[in-house]
Amino acid sequence: MRWINRRPSPGARLALASLPFAAVLIAYTVGSLSRLAANANDKLLPGLAGFADALNRMAVIPDARTGDILLWADTLASLIRLFSGLGIATAIALVLGMLIGMLPSVRALLSPFVAALSMVPPLALLPILFIAMGLGEVSKIALIVIGVTPVMIRDLAFKASELPREQIIKAETLGGNSWQIALRVMLPQVLPRLITCLRLQLGPAWLFLIAAEAISSDSGLGYRIFLVRRYLAMDVIFPYVVWITLIAVATDWALERLRLAVFPWSAAEGKA
Amino acid sequence: MSQLKIDRVWKEYGDQIVLEDVSITIESRAFVALVGPSGCGKTTFLRMILGQEKPTRGTILLDGAPLPPEPGPDRGVVYQKYSVFPHLTVLGNVLVGKELSAAPITGRLFGAARRAAVEEARAMIADVGLAGSEDKYPAQLSGGMQQRLALAQALLMRPKVLLLDEPFGALDPGIRKEIHQLMKRLWNETPMTVVMVTHDMREAFTLATRVVAFERPRDRPEEKERYGATITRDIEIWPPRRPGTTPA
């Protein structure tokens, strides 16, 4: 049988899927054990005991100085920034994307501008944001918004303009005005795409969040990683990275569930 | 009444002349089939009646009044594809016309108005043979059922003119035969004029009261751009078909 026709059974699929994860874990353990054998105080690849100790310090025992449990305080601070940024970006992208995709005059006005804006490297704007908005929460949220909004606007405008012309004409023959067509025909078909688009922007949003936190912050997951870097505290950095990854994967999964639950007709959209 | 009077209509895209000097009067309650080779402008002609495209020259009158320059509820349409909304159920697709006409701000109906509209929509759905499928999404329906749905959706608006753009072209022969019978019955029962574009001669002569052929009289490559298509045949079906009910 040709390789292109061989399909793994469900059990084999699960085994195959866990293989890369297991490989990484094993490689790490082997490396860690060999380094620890050479030097029991090695900080680069700490062993399980090291992680347990660090997790205990970060996630269970309150910090001696502030009285907060650091992991939770950092997570809360980061998630507030992340979701404020994504929320604002989503709202702007939905309104502008629909307008650009639907109304030829708005498209003429804004489409080239948004295209140009989406090419500005957001991190290059970070100093400007810090200077203009200070070092507080606003500039960090603004960075996320600036980073993901133009891409989302373009994606949604594309989706809106991609709707078959026949559907719009059809809605007109059913007596719809522009507003109703936006509300009843375009919006429901753009919303599933908005969720997919949001999923795809989770990665960039985290990138901008951690970049902003690394440079100036007093809490947050990115802040903590860059703070403990000074002490080569890999026992803290590794769990933080895994934790961030888990949050991102869970958000991605939850958004996909949400889309299928709210828009059951859009099952094919997820393949995008 | 729903008489269409097309008077010396031309359609040009830049230098390309698509249709030239088309004049035809379509009587109220007629069922006209437009036939002709691909690219002869019959779909363009249909779109001009629909208001999706504007004639370059000439006028189109519906019951003596010039057509508005955009599509409206007096002219219904069924396309071969994309005629129904994928995000609405069968009931939602038929209901949406009522809702758009009655609720300019929310585009939705509530309470008693909604119940009445639902009842009317359900009757229309049953009439096209889709009873029992009200809660399905179009993707769950076969091609024939989707076109039945598209007909129900368009007819609930009681359009003066129903425009069909190769509506049954993608269906299997057996399914097509069934939907032809439905189409005939709907035309008999509904006070409307029908204009249908089709590739299928048999379909044209099965359904229509009048078959109109579009052709390019000059079709040499060097002439193609400067000479458009026009009506070359206009065949009344004999014996004449009359709509079953008296015209409204």
Side-chain angles (χ1 to χ4, degrees), chain A residues 142-166:
Chain A
L143 179 69
I144 298 176
V145 173
I146 291 173
V148 302
T149 309
V151 180
M152 290 180 78
I153 293 177
R154 294 184 82 188
D155 193 50
L156 290 183
F158 180 67
K159 173 70 190 173
S161 62
E162 208 189 19
L163 284 183
R165 187 83 201 132
E166 285 86 345

Side-chain angles (χ1 to χ4, degrees), chain A residues 211-252:
Chain A
E213 287 181 345
I215 293 172
S216 156
S217 191
D218 51 12
S219 65
L221 297 165
Y223 160 75
R224 191 68 53 195
I225 292 177
F226 277 79
L227 181 72
V228 302
R229 178 189 62 113
R230 297 174 200 166
Y231 321 116
L232 286 180
M234 297 294 258
D235 54 345
V236 174
I237 295 179
F238 273 126
Y240 262 64
V241 172
V242 172
W243 176 236
I244 291 172
T245 311
L246 279 177
I247 295 175
V249 168
T251 318
D252 184 70

Side-chain angles (χ1 to χ4, degrees), chain A residues 170 172-173 179-180 183-184, chain B residues 77 87 99-100 103 105 107:
Chain A
K170 182 85 195 197
E172 290 178 63
T173 66
W179 161 250
Q180 291 173 313
L183 190 69
R184 295 292 321 267
Chain B
V77 66
H87 62 289
E99 295 185 306
L100 294 180
I105 305 296

Side-chain angles (χ1 to χ4, degrees), chain A residues 74-146:
Chain A
D74 288 338
T75 307
L76 186 68
S78 283
L79 287 186
I80 288 175
R81 290 168 193 149
L82 184 78
F83 288 121
S84 313
L86 283 176
I88 295 169
T90 305
I92 298 174
L94 182 61
V95 173
L96 287 186
M98 292 259 305
L99 285 173
I100 292 174
M102 205 176 151
L103 303 175
S105 36
V106 179
R107 191 177 319 146
L109 176 73
L110 285 181
S111 185
F113 181 68
V114 172
L117 206 61
S118 71
M119 293 300 153
V120 178
L123 286 179
L125 294 177
L126 189 55
I128 302 177
L129 294 178
F130 279 150
I131 293 168
M133 301 176 171
L135 299 174
E137 298 300 306
V138 182
S139 53
K140 299 182 190 68
I141 295 173
L143 179 69
I144 298 176
V145 173
I146 291 173

Side-chain angles (χ1 to χ4, degrees), chain A residues 11-90:
Chain A
R13 205 169 300 147
L14 186 67
L16 284 174
S18 19
L19 210 57
F21 292 100
V24 169
L25 266 183
I26 291 169
Y28 181 87
T29 314
V30 170
S32 166
L33 284 177
S34 69
R35 283 191 72 102
L36 286 172
N39 172 10
N41 290 324
D42 178 65
K43 300 194 84 169
L44 279 189
L45 300 178
L48 267 185
F51 286 134
D53 182 46
L55 271 178
N56 189 39
R57 250 184 302 126
M58 304 307 293
V60 181
I61 302 173
D63 182 52
R65 188 169 60 83
T66 58
D68 290 334
I69 295 178
L70 289 178
L71 179 66
W72 305 128
D74 288 338
T75 307
L76 186 68
S78 283
L79 287 186
I80 288 175
R81 290 168 193 149
L82 184 78
F83 288 121
S84 313
L86 283 176
I88 295 169
T90 305

